[in-house]
């Protein structure tokens, strides 16, 4: 264990934002977390030294009866009721299908940011992501729209999520060519059982461009917490079937076996091992993980008192690099 405090904030690359080493995922708010539970989770995260919260305008549109924006609305209510806006860094996204439309065109971005600001009850969004790449809209148009938000003080920093190396490159070149605000943060899917999308071209692009990484699905939708076990009953969860479809294979079970060894060695939980592995990776600053209880929040924050040694990292790398 290290002596590093959970609430020791670090700079999020060129964005200049000061964030905790864990970003709390807001996708569960308004889905598997009602308002009271969401508030309790957010309170525990802040009390435990966390300050970085991730959401999106589309969360949680997929739930029957929801319209999208439920997560932002709950976070906004919490921010206002607790009067803690100056203590947190809020990240949200635009680009997924919502009632206002989809994509990264100028008009859609302008309409969407105003809706997000209203729901969050804030004057400025700290980090605004392009949620998905939009190949129908020229990158110059997208970056000009984002730049106008930065200049107007509605957004502090920009990030890209779910972008290919080519689209990220095109966007960065457009910003440089036109003298516009640029992406400084990347949010890809990345964890011990999903490495190939990020490692390689995408990561090699981030390093020279001074782009830091805030990966999502840090716990592989709960698979890396150990609640899924080969030959055991499937957990009762809305996501369980989809999780097993992706990770019920030799690599998935092999990773859990390697994690069990590291967990036992350090007296840590599997979730803590998964997050500690992520923060040990190049360019990663703060992995995203969701929690649906106060106990889970405390467990996740405990990951940042864990230091994996070279032997641990080798064992996890071997297991996670095998064929599925």
């Amino acid at each position: 264990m290290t002596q590093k405090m959970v609430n020791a904030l670090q700079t999020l690359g060129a964005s200049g934002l000061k964030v905790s080493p864990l970003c709390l995922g807001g996708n569960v708010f308004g889905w598997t977390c009602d308002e009271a539970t969401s508030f309790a989770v957010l309170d525990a995260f802040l009390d435990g030294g966390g300050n970085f919260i991730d959401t999106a305008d589309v969360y949680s549109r997929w739930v029957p009866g929801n319209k999208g924006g439920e997560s932002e609305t709950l976070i906004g209510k919490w921010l206002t009721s607790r009067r803690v806006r100056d203590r947190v860094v809020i990240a949200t996204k635009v680009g997924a299908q919502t009632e206002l439309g989809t994509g990264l065109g100028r008009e859609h971005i302008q309409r969407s940011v105003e809706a997000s600001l209203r729901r969050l009850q804030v004057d400025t969004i700290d980090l605004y992501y392009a949620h998905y790449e939009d190949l129908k809209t020229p990158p110059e148009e997208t970056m000009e729209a984002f730049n106008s938000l930065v200049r107007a003080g509605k957004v502090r920093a920009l990030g890209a999520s779910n972008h290919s190396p080519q689209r990220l490159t095109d966007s960065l070149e457009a910003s440089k060519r036109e003298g516009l605000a640029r992406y400084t943060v990347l949010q890809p899917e990345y964890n011990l059982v999903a490495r190939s999308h990020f490692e390689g071209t995408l990561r090699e692009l981030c390093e020279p461009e001074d782009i830091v990484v805030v990966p999502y699905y840090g716990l592989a939708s709960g698979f890396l917490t150990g609640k899924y076990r080969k030959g055991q009953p499937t957990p009762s969860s809305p996501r369980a079937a989809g999780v097993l479809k992706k990770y019920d294979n030799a690599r998935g079970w092999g990773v859990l076996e390697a994690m069990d060894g590291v967990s036992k060695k350090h007296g840590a939980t599997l979730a803590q091992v998964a997050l500690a592995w992520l923060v040990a990776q190049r360019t990663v600053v703060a992995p995203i993980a969701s929690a649906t209880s106060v106990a889970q929040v405390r467990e996740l924050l405990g990951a940042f008192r864990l230091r994996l040694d070279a032997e641990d990292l080798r064992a996890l790398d071997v297991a996670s690099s095998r064929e599925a």
Side-chain angles (χ1 to χ4, degrees):
M1 296 291 183
T2 72
Q3 299 303 309
K4 177 182 178 182
M5 298 298 292
V6 173
N7 61 354
L9 303 183
Q10 53 199 329
T11 302
L12 188 64
S15 76
L17 299 169
K18 301 290 186 179
V19 300
S20 54
L22 174 69
C23 183
L24 183 67
N27 61 320
V28 294
F29 302 148
W31 177 21
T32 53
C33 280
D34 59 17
E35 181 172 316
T37 305
S38 299
F39 279 29
V41 165
L42 288 161
D43 286 342
F45 183 62
L46 189 64
D47 290 345
N51 79 327
F52 193 12
I53 302 168
D54 179 86
T55 185
D57 59 1
V58 72
Y59 298 165
S60 47
R61 182 179 169 87
W62 56 85
V63 178
N66 282 5
K67 298 179 179 179
E70 287 79 14
S71 174
E72 289 182 333
T73 297
L74 284 175
I75 292 170
K77 288 182 178 180
W78 175 77
L79 287 172
T80 300
S81 67
R82 301 302 195 258
R83 299 181 180 181
V84 293
R85 176 63 185 100
D86 61 338
R87 295 176 58 191
V88 297
V89 173
I90 300 294
T92 191
K93 311 179 192 74
V94 60
Q97 179 70 53
T98 69
E99 288 189 316
L100 295 178
T102 188
L104 298 173
R106 180 181 294 103
E107 291 184 3
H108 180 63
I109 289 174
Q110 291 171 343
R111 290 195 301 268
S112 297
V113 75
E114 296 298 340
S116 289
L117 287 167
R118 286 194 299 271
R119 287 189 291 260
L120 289 165
Q121 301 184 48
V122 299
D123 296 322
T124 305
I125 293 166
D126 297 306
L127 177 58
Y128 202 34
Y129 286 103
H131 203 160
Y132 299 96
E133 62 181 30
D134 175 6
L135 301 181
K136 296 180 180 179
T137 302
E140 290 82 4
E141 178 181 337
T142 297
M143 302 317 298
E144 286 171 358
F146 281 142
N147 184 70
S148 69
L149 300 182
V150 174
R151 288 176 61 88
K154 295 180 180 180
V155 170
R156 289 194 172 90
L158 302 173
S161 180
N162 300 300
H163 273 50
S164 66
Q166 186 60 58
R167 195 60 172 183
L168 182 57
T169 297
D170 292 344
S171 300
L172 293 170
E173 289 179 350
S175 291
K176 184 177 181 179
R177 185 170 57 248
E178 305 297 331
L180 306 171
R182 66 191 292 271
Y183 295 137
T184 58
V185 182
L186 180 70
Q187 186 182 126
E189 179 178 1
Y190 186 42
N191 57 59
L192 269 166
V193 286
R195 298 178 60 175
S196 61
H197 173 69
F198 173 64
E199 292 181 357
T201 305
L202 200 51
R203 180 164 64 184
E204 299 310 315
L205 170 62
C206 288
E207 290 181 297
E209 292 289 349
D210 196 21
I211 293 176
V212 295
V213 176
V214 178
Y216 70 88
Y217 284 172
L219 300 178
S221 300
F223 182 79
L224 296 176
T225 66
K227 66 181 179 181
Y228 296 86
R229 290 294 182 176
K230 190 174 184 179
Q232 298 298 313
T234 301
S236 176
S237 164
R239 298 194 285 185
V243 171
L244 285 177
K245 184 177 181 180
K246 293 174 69 175
Y247 307 124
D248 181 6
N249 52 52
R251 180 174 60 216
W253 302 125
V255 166
L256 288 185
E257 183 178 354
M259 293 175 69
D260 284 336
V262 175
S263 169
K264 183 177 180 180
K265 173 181 173 180
H266 292 280
T269 68
L270 265 66
Q272 291 170 343
V273 171
L275 295 176
W277 178 85
L278 275 171
V279 297
Q281 305 308 304
R282 301 188 340 253
T283 70
V284 173
V285 173
I288 301 170
S290 302
T292 56
S293 70
V294 170
Q296 286 181 1
V297 173
R298 291 171 178 163
E299 176 189 1
L300 297 178
L301 289 170
F304 306 100
R305 294 189 295 270
L306 171 63
R307 174 181 291 169
L308 301 181
D309 60 29
E311 181 183 10
D312 301 326
L313 294 172
R314 278 195 301 272
L316 294 172
D317 281 341
V318 168
S320 61
S321 297
R322 70 185 296 184
E323 293 293 328

